[in-house]
Amino acid sequence: MMMLRNIKNIALLVLMMVCSAGYAQQFAHTTGNIAGLGNGWVKFSYELDDTLYQDSVTTKNGLFSKKMRVVESVLCTLSNSVNQQIRIFILEPAEIKFNGEVTKFYNLEIDAGKENKLYQQYQKSSGAIIGQKPSPTGDEAMDKKLKTSFSAGLKVLRDSLANDFVKKNPNSVVSAITIFNRYVTYPDRNRADILYQSLSPQIKKGEYGRRIKTFIDAQGNTSAGAMAPGFSLADANGKMVSLNDFKGKYVLVDFWASWCGPCRLENPNLIKAYQKFNGKGFTIVGLSMDSSKENWLKAVEQDKLSWVQLNDPKTTNGKVAELYGVKSLPASFLVDPAGKIVAKNLRGKDLEKQLDSIFNK
């Protein structure tokens, strides 16, 4: 009986230790010693599942300590109350120590876990690939050729570094961040897809893995005949408007921005098509990629855009742009009454011709 009780006690103790360890791994324990920061504050900012999370802690003589729950390891920005400098790091379930001077906040030393070590390693290796830019020869054509050759060589080296890093670290969130920053932000679906396949199942399920997969799938998901990805965004008054609200009509989903010159030049063509076919069952939904609401609404007024206007202040990093694979502007998708994509990126007179073939059979 005594032996049985001891075995149960040991089993209970082991269970408590396992639970305790699992619980501890859900937190990042951050501490800092930053000369010159004084009695101010530091702020942590990161995005997860299209939501911005922010947390802060006050400092005393430059010292701080903060314990934060970590759902998954993510890229995080550390800012301060003295200047506008930032330090980017990986918020991970580990001890994370910051040391340095507030005047060189961007270069704070970070002593942390595996993910931060890998992130710093990759950043250092990437920064080392600079090379010697070709000196001007005075010959414009030759200078252009040399510059193109230099850029191509630099790209080969950086592609090789990214490839080697991801293949060696398939279970690191830094590998997913590397793919995202290199081949999603600067779109290259083929390379993104190849390296994505190297990631472990766990990393594929994470924030960056999901966003890479969305980018890869966007090409097929927005091809002619595919159902247009659904979305909801706010108008100028904060009212949420959905693509489903326009079922039964032909809809041009138009991605644009006030700062996009080609977008603004295309607006007269959109106005002409809208005025000609709006009464026949055609409309436009403008998706502004402006981070400034003021600039967005000013452009709407200046260009006299009378159709529904929605906005995503996260621009091409926003969820809707990612669903449609939009990384450059302008971009547009013509959707039929059933919600299927008919065509995309119709410019100039092409939109009017397409609508003529639909409504004037």
Side-chain angles (χ1 to χ4, degrees), residues 228-299:
F231 62 82
S232 292
L233 283 174
D235 65 12
N237 298 314
K239 178 186 175 183
M240 298 303 292
V241 178
S242 168
L243 179 61
N244 285 332
D245 296 339
F246 302 93
K247 277 280 182 73
K249 291 186 176 183
Y250 278 89
V251 184
L252 185 74
V253 179
D254 178 45
F255 290 83
W256 73 289
S258 65
W259 44 262
C260 169
C263 300
R264 306 291 293 274
L265 290 173
E266 188 65 27
N267 280 338
N269 295 319
L270 298 186
I271 292 172
K272 185 178 179 182
Y274 182 77
Q275 291 175 342
K276 185 175 180 179
F277 297 101
N278 181 237
K280 297 182 178 183
F282 168 71
T283 192
I284 301 174
V285 178
L287 269 58
S288 159
M289 300 288 101
D290 282 283
S291 57
S292 166
K293 183 177 180 179
E294 181 182 357
N295 291 344
W296 161 42
L297 296 180
K298 183 178 180 181

Side-chain angles (χ1 to χ4, degrees), residues 32 34 37-42 57-65 81:
I34 304 172
L37 183 54
N39 298 330
W41 51 258
V42 292
V57 59
T58 56
T59 61
K60 186 174 182 180
N61 297 324
L63 301 174
F64 70 86
S65 177
S81 55

